[in-house]
Amino acid sequence: MSSPLILIAIGIVLIAVAAAAVLLTHSDGKGEALDPPESRRVGTALKDRPVTSYPSDSASDDSSAGGLLVEDAPTDSPDLGVPDGDADGDLLERDRIDEEFERIIEEERPTFSGRLGRLRGVFSGYVGSILSRSSIDEETWEELEEAMLRADVGVNVTTELLESLRADVKKRGLTTPQELLDALKVEMKSRLAGPTELRFAAEKPTIWLFVGVNGVGKTTTIGKVGRRLTDDGLTVTMAAGDTFRAAAAEQLGTWAERCGADLVRGAEGGDPSSVIFDAVASAAASGKDVVLADTAGRLHTKGNLMEELAKVRRVADKGAGEVTEVLLVIDAVTGQNGLEQARKFAESTAVTGVVLTKLDGSAKGGVVLPIRSELDIPIKLVGLGESALQLVDFDADAFVEALFESVD
Amino acid sequence: MFDSLSDRFDGIFTRLRGKGSLTAADVDEVLREIRLALLEADVNLTVVKSMLGRIREQAVGEDLSKALNPALQVKKIVLEQLTETLGGETLRIAYASKPPTVILMAGLQGSGKTTNSAKLARWFRAQGRNPLLVGADLQRPAAVAQLRTLADQVGVPVYSAPDDVVAGGQGDPVDVARGAVEEARRLGRDVVIVDTAGRLAIDAELMEQVRQISAEVSPDYTFLVIDAMTGQDAVTVAESFHSTLGLDAVILTKLDGDARGGAALSVKEVVGRPIAFASTGEKLDDFDLFHPDRLAGRILGEGDLATLIEKAEQAFEQEEAEEAAARLLEGTFTFDDFLDQMQAIKKMGPISGVMAMLPGIPKEVRDVEIEDSHIARIEGIIHSMTPAERIKPDIIDNSRRDRIARGSGQSASDVSQLVSQFKQMRQMMQQMGGNRFAKKKAKKAKKGKKGGGRVTPKGAAKIDKKAFALPTREEMEARLPQGGGFGGGLPGGPSGGFGSNG
């Protein structure tokens, strides 16, 4: 039954509402001052759009058809865009992809630490200053704390780490700043380390589900993971489970096309569970190895959307194959809210790992520390750049070293 | 959940109570808690430091030791400082004398530029303008398609490169932007909103590209779109966009989550530009002018009564709500009123969201998860009652209770629990309503009717202040029977009252 607090809580809401009601009399029309009047009907504006707009694209066409659409990999569907629409698209298509990836294919798949260069600088300023002193003093501790807070590690973990470090200093008699830094690195590495392997199901198809808040890069991550898998010779089906965001399926479709994966999509606004279920069925029927299931971005505070996600997870497991990974995608720029995100997503979908995206920016992604140490969710993949090859396995050692590395 | 600043203060000031004066060490301790609260809210460390300096200065000047309630006093100082930092100059859109007025949207990937371009277009339409949306994000696959779909929903045309060019990844966003302004002139569109590709602030190549777009269209306004969940890096991002493009204002997105939004404070402090708009939901009309005082409370975890009142105004029928409120405070509230008011509250969004906006809610209550399914069950039980039972729950005896339970598919104990809680709630409300509140209401109602007339933004602000002046947590506590805090003071429920969060 409902919690005994619910009625009380509702009662409190009612009081507030009572307060609002009291104020209502006094504030007629205030709503208008703050809120624009209701906009006019959409239809009228559609007339003056000879410009360039093409009101209904394929997405809405599908929704009127209602059904599911399976697009085979080397599709020549016009809206997914082969550049010059040539008939023998297959060859051209490959050319285009090659061109696109040329600049990075030239190199080896980049190493984690090699790509982390930009992470230097946060800690390094502090590190230089810390190392320049002859002993460990209060300022040393303050600077360490600042460095960690600025990397979004968060107050709790920072305090914890520094306290255990202080104990360490006493116990092991550390005296130089260098020893101190080394001890901190060891501690951070051991906290962050964890399995990075992405597991496969015993029986095909393996299902990997991607979840996260809006705008973290779920769809892009799926594209990149798809590319990795197909490069390794595996066959992939992508499930366009984001039926909410406009044109999300098109975006995934572009990626599917790029890496030669199938795409299964449903109607915009349709039920994501059924799209993913159908994708699994389709993958099973055609003997595909892996299903990469996209989901709509959602804020972890929205109970109904989180329930929907839990259902997606359950339904995905019902057909052939098995969900072996639920990957939570987190943007490196995220602050302390990332921990709450991880907590809530883990509750509803039993997250198996974190993908940290956009680490090629100036953000440090330190929030993975509390996620790893407080929720025990391993960090599995890291996005270090725009191209597919720049999605690499997480490497705790390299991550920590890069944080501390000084600029040469 | 993070502790609110009030929660943090509770401990300190309980200890300090009875002390004649605050020592420098006491003040430091308070400042440390403020520091933690700000850092947990993702306010940039540099900004935290300068804020603390200002707060200390003011706190020392105010001589806290003489304050009746030092906790409140400090909180007030902090809130004032935050509001001042966040607020200041507000953005007034001055439309270009020679249309179109051009607006450039810039930001990191995933901050919500495309969605907010459409939301902004909707806002301009509501202001009686004729916007043109420009799809200059030719980077992200299907970004233009997304913009088109959203533009359809708000009834605004889109200008972009032809589809095949976009799909082929061949388009030049600078060309698109240039063409858009010409197109807007041709069509008589008076506002042009240019959606650009997301880019990292440290990506020199892409920053140069957006600079070129900016140079090409010479925007009247450049908005930085920034995610409320952004951490310490918000400062770097804002600084580099500002130095490249010269920002005019900020649009803060994803405020409907539980992120404290400290990034907004950092950005404001660093670039000194106002936060013009805030996006508070997935729907295209969840977008409004930004209210600094509300975010200040939120950063400290203190609730947001002003927004609540505004939402309530939209959701409730004025007369009806007033009557219900009066009955609630008189203790004659019925199950029917409850059902009616629940309908209105539901319009304001999820109950938990509404709760989050209330100041002074004890942590135990705030953390209760109220799912809509719980409410549906409660409603189911009420629907199975006869009209007489709804008005007078006292007549519900065992046989009536069993009938209601069968009718609603809930257990008999669920029904009795609901009934007894309802009575408790009614009693509690009545105690709170008591004297002062009811009187105040009568007086206000009279004044309001006489006053009427036009409401200026200034007037609205005045009302907000009054809203904050309504019963504070302390006053509520004082009104409760056993005194010891909101939680403990309640008559214990059948399953143990507060704390037993079942």
Side-chain angles (χ1 to χ4, degrees):
Chain A
M1 171 57 185
S2 47
S3 147
L5 289 176
I6 284 182
L7 265 199
I8 306 294
I10 293 173
I12 288 168
V13 172
L14 283 172
I15 303 178
V17 165
V22 170
L23 285 161
L24 274 174
T25 2
H26 201 57
S27 58
D28 288 324
K30 179 183 150 216
E32 275 165 49
L34 295 165
D35 217 40
E38 214 37 55
S39 68
R40 273 146 279 135
R41 299 294 310 161
V42 165
T44 57
L46 299 185
K47 265 182 246 149
D48 45 335
R49 55 163 60 219
V51 206
T52 30
S53 217
Y54 316 93
S56 304
D57 59 14
S58 59
S60 25
D61 288 346
D62 293 341
S63 70
S64 61
L68 283 156
L69 193 73
V70 179
E71 283 158 11
D72 284 326
T75 179
D76 46 14
S77 149
D79 65 319
L80 292 180
V82 178
D84 30 23
D86 232 304
D88 48 346
D90 230 346
L91 201 63
L92 267 173
E93 179 56 18
R94 274 291 160 198
D95 278 356
R96 187 172 71 78
I97 292 164
D98 286 351
E99 216 169 281
E100 203 163 294
F101 291 107
E102 201 167 1
R103 50 194 166 113
I104 26 168
I105 283 176
E106 280 168 15
E107 315 158 31
E108 291 284 280
R109 181 168 281 180
T111 60
F112 188 95
S113 50
R115 297 283 320 170
L116 274 177
R118 282 156 169 172
L119 274 184
R120 299 169 194 177
V122 219
F123 273 62
S124 63
Y126 292 101
V127 167
S129 156
I130 288 166
L131 292 180
S132 71
R133 260 173 262 126
S134 57
S135 63
I136 302 168
D137 54 21
E138 260 323 293
E139 219 168 309
T140 311
W141 291 106
E142 259 169 45
E143 284 181 340
L144 275 183
E145 186 195 29
E146 287 208 358
M148 291 168 76
L149 290 175
R150 279 188 199 277
D152 286 318
V153 172
V155 174
N156 283 349
V157 171
T158 299
T159 314
E160 247 176 69
L161 274 171
L162 293 183
E163 267 166 19
S164 92
L165 197 58
R166 273 180 199 267
D168 231 26
V169 167
K170 271 203 191 123
K171 204 171 72 197
R172 293 170 36 203
L174 305 181
T175 50
T176 70
Q178 185 65 56
E179 286 171 332
L180 183 71
L181 277 182
D182 290 343
L184 179 59
K185 280 190 208 171
V186 168
E187 177 65 24
M188 285 174 81
K189 285 176 190 171
S190 80
R191 275 175 183 248
L192 273 172
T196 57
E197 177 210 356
L198 298 169
R199 283 157 306 169
F200 289 85
E203 267 173 60
K204 286 200 287 189
T206 291
I207 303 151
W208 293 347
L209 192 62
F210 293 77
V211 301
V213 300
N214 317 59
V216 288
K218 284 177 296 301
T219 308
T220 307
T221 300
I222 291 185
K224 294 176 180 180
V225 170
R227 168 82 187 190
R228 262 172 76 139
L229 291 172
T230 50
D231 276 359
D232 291 345
L234 295 168
T235 51
V236 173
T237 295
M238 294 184 181
D242 181 353
T243 56
F244 180 81
R245 180 163 60 93
E250 279 72 17
Q251 187 185 348
L252 190 65
T254 307
W255 278 105
E257 193 192 338
R258 279 182 192 170
C259 59
D262 276 1
L263 175 74
V264 175
R265 55 181 292 180
E268 211 159 282
D271 175 18
S273 304
S274 71
V275 174
I276 292 169
F277 184 83
D278 289 339
V280 173
S282 149
S286 55
K288 295 284 190 298
D289 296 305
V290 183
V291 176
L292 301 177
D294 197 8
T295 61
R298 65 202 70 218
L299 291 179
H300 52 289
T301 48
K302 308 239 153 113
N304 54 343
L305 291 180
M306 294 307 279
E307 255 167 46
E308 176 191 89
L309 198 60
K311 181 183 162 199
V312 165
R313 167 87 170 80
R314 286 194 304 274
V315 171
D317 250 340
K318 275 199 177 131
E322 188 193 339
V323 178
T324 54
E325 296 286 348
V326 179
L327 297 169
L328 171 68
V329 183
I330 287 190
D331 186 330
V333 86
T334 311
Q336 294 316 295
N337 195 245
L339 180 61
E340 212 51 44
Q341 289 172 24
R343 197 191 312 274
K344 290 283 161 56
F345 275 98
E347 274 169 19
S348 68
T349 55
V351 170
T352 58
V354 166
V355 182
L356 186 65
T357 59
K358 310 182 203 173
L359 199 58
D360 47 336
S362 45
K364 311 307 167 306
V367 73
V368 295
L369 261 134
I371 291 176
R372 178 76 185 111
S373 63
E374 288 185 26
L375 302 175
D376 199 26
I377 302 172
I379 319 305
K380 295 205 162 172
L381 291 168
V382 171
L384 296 171
E386 300 253 331
S387 89
L389 294 180
Q390 287 163 333
L391 182 76
V392 302
D393 288 346
F394 179 72
D395 177 341
D397 284 5
F399 183 83
V400 173
E401 285 300 334
L403 278 177
F404 283 92
E405 216 163 297
S406 353
V407 189
D408 301 321
Chain B
M1 274 304 276
F2 299 117
D3 292 337
S4 72
L5 192 62
S6 304
D7 295 337
R8 294 185 168 286
F9 278 178
D10 281 351
I12 305 180
F13 285 105
T14 314
R15 257 187 301 122
L16 295 182
R17 201 170 290 158
K19 260 191 165 182
S21 59
L22 297 186
T23 64
D26 294 337
V27 173
D28 280 346
E29 195 183 347
V30 172
L31 286 171
R32 244 194 324 273
E33 291 299 329
I34 298 171
R35 175 175 183 265
L36 288 182
L38 293 177
L39 284 171
E40 279 183 347
D42 289 321
V43 179
N44 181 274
L45 186 60
T46 313
V47 177
V48 169
K49 284 179 177 173
S50 65
M51 292 269 331
L52 284 180
R54 296 201 293 265
I55 292 168
R56 178 196 295 270
E57 220 168 88
Q58 209 181 331
V60 168
E62 298 246 332
D63 193 4
L64 288 176
S65 58
K66 296 224 175 74
L68 265 179
N69 186 337
L72 275 182
Q73 192 75 13
V74 173
K75 211 159 72 189
K76 205 176 121 239
I77 294 172
V78 178
L79 270 175
E80 274 171 12
Q81 277 296 341
L82 288 182
T83 311
E84 207 170 290
T85 309
L86 283 169
E89 167 206 8
T90 51
L91 183 80
R92 289 231 158 266
I93 302 265
Y95 295 95
S97 54
K98 186 167 164 266
T101 305
V102 180
I103 290 166
L104 185 68
M105 306 281 276
L108 298 177
Q109 289 100 334
S111 52
K113 283 174 301 304
T114 304
T115 307
N116 282 280
S117 294
K119 287 181 172 185
L120 191 61
R122 183 191 174 279
W123 186 85
F124 275 116
R125 277 205 58 188
Q127 308 291 311
R129 298 281 158 174
N130 290 307
L132 173 71
L133 278 162
V134 183
D137 179 356
L138 307 179
Q139 202 100 7
R140 178 162 59 94
V144 177
Q146 183 189 357
L147 187 66
R148 291 218 165 101
T149 309
L150 295 171
D152 260 8
Q153 289 165 22
V154 294
V156 169
V158 174
Y159 179 91
S160 187
D163 270 1
D164 51 336
V165 174
V166 173
Q170 311 293 316
D172 178 1
V174 183
D175 287 346
V176 170
R178 182 190 310 122
V181 176
E182 285 162 18
E183 187 75 8
R185 277 203 194 103
R186 193 174 69 76
L187 288 165
R189 291 266 147 191
D190 53 9
V191 175
V192 172
I193 302 168
V194 185
D195 176 29
T196 65
R199 63 201 75 226
L200 294 166
I202 53 171
D203 187 327
E205 200 183 313
L206 282 176
M207 286 305 273
E208 170 57 20
Q209 184 202 61
V210 74
R211 198 196 56 75
Q212 281 176 18
I213 296 176
S214 174
E216 190 59 49
V217 300
S218 14
D220 299 279
Y221 292 98
T222 302
F223 289 157
L224 175 69
V225 181
I226 199 155
D227 187 325
M229 298 182 276
T230 309
Q232 295 287 318
D233 200 45
V235 161
T236 321
V237 172
E239 270 172 344
S240 74
F241 276 98
H242 190 45
S243 69
T244 308
L245 298 174
L247 301 175
D248 293 290
V250 173
I251 297 179
L252 189 62
T253 64
K254 301 181 207 169
L255 256 182
D256 46 335
D258 57 358
R260 289 278 174 85
L265 190 75
S266 311
V267 171
K268 178 72 196 343
E269 175 104 344
V270 166
V271 300
R273 291 289 186 264
I275 295 151
F277 296 96
S279 164
T280 53
E282 291 188 336
K283 290 200 294 293
L284 289 170
D285 55 355
D286 293 331
F287 182 82
D288 207 344
L289 295 168
F290 173 76
H291 302 281
D293 48 341
R294 302 180 189 180
L295 191 73
R298 178 182 176 131
I299 288 175
L300 298 178
E302 297 296 319
D304 181 359
L305 197 49
T307 301
L308 180 88
I309 288 171
E310 195 177 293
K311 281 197 172 190
E313 281 176 353
Q314 287 158 13
F316 283 83
E317 291 295 326
Q318 180 177 325
E319 299 264 306
E320 212 178 284
E322 256 185 80
E323 276 170 30
R327 279 203 295 277
L328 187 63
L329 297 174
E330 284 161 17
T332 54
F333 196 67
T334 68
F335 271 121
D336 279 322
D337 293 326
F338 182 81
L339 277 184
D340 286 348
Q341 299 311 308
M342 276 315 301
Q343 294 309 319
I345 289 180
K346 276 198 223 152
K347 277 190 242 160
M348 295 166 62
I351 294 270
S352 49
V354 176
M355 285 280 287
M357 287 184 255
L358 287 172
I361 300 285
K363 205 165 152 42
E364 301 79 24
V365 179
R366 206 175 41 211
D367 287 349
V368 180
E369 299 221 0
I370 307 178
E371 295 294 339
D372 290 343
S373 62
H374 290 148
I375 293 162
R377 266 184 293 179
I378 292 174
E379 285 177 345
I381 295 177
I382 301 176
H383 281 304
S384 297
M385 295 177 185
T386 66
E389 287 162 354
R390 293 185 202 180
I391 292 167
K392 223 171 169 282
D394 287 327
I395 62 172
I396 298 176
D397 55 15
N398 284 357
S399 96
R400 281 176 186 268
R401 184 196 62 197
D402 292 344
R403 192 204 74 245
I404 295 167
R406 276 196 308 277
S408 60
Q410 305 291 332
S411 74
S413 72
D414 287 347
V415 176
S416 34
Q417 201 180 334
L418 175 74
V419 171
S420 81
Q421 281 178 18
F422 181 77
K423 288 189 209 157
Q424 270 175 37
M425 180 186 89
R426 213 161 57 165
Q427 193 190 353
M428 185 178 130
M429 299 300 139
Q430 193 181 3
Q431 278 162 352
M432 292 179 74
N435 22 39
R436 189 195 85 138
F437 201 42
K439 256 188 249 153
K440 200 167 184 174
K441 177 199 165 273
K443 215 160 87 194
K444 277 237 181 84
K446 232 198 247 157
K447 228 199 250 165
K449 264 170 204 143
K450 246 188 248 161
R454 204 172 64 95
V455 174
T456 62
K458 226 178 179 179
K462 214 161 77 199
I463 286 149
D464 285 356
K465 254 189 205 150
K466 287 215 174 96
F468 283 116
L470 280 167
T472 64
R473 183 179 177 186
E474 285 73 15
E475 283 164 336
M476 282 179 166
E477 279 171 5
R479 225 165 276 280
L480 282 165
Q482 291 143 47
F486 208 4
L490 284 166
S495 22
F498 273 97
S500 65
N501 180 354

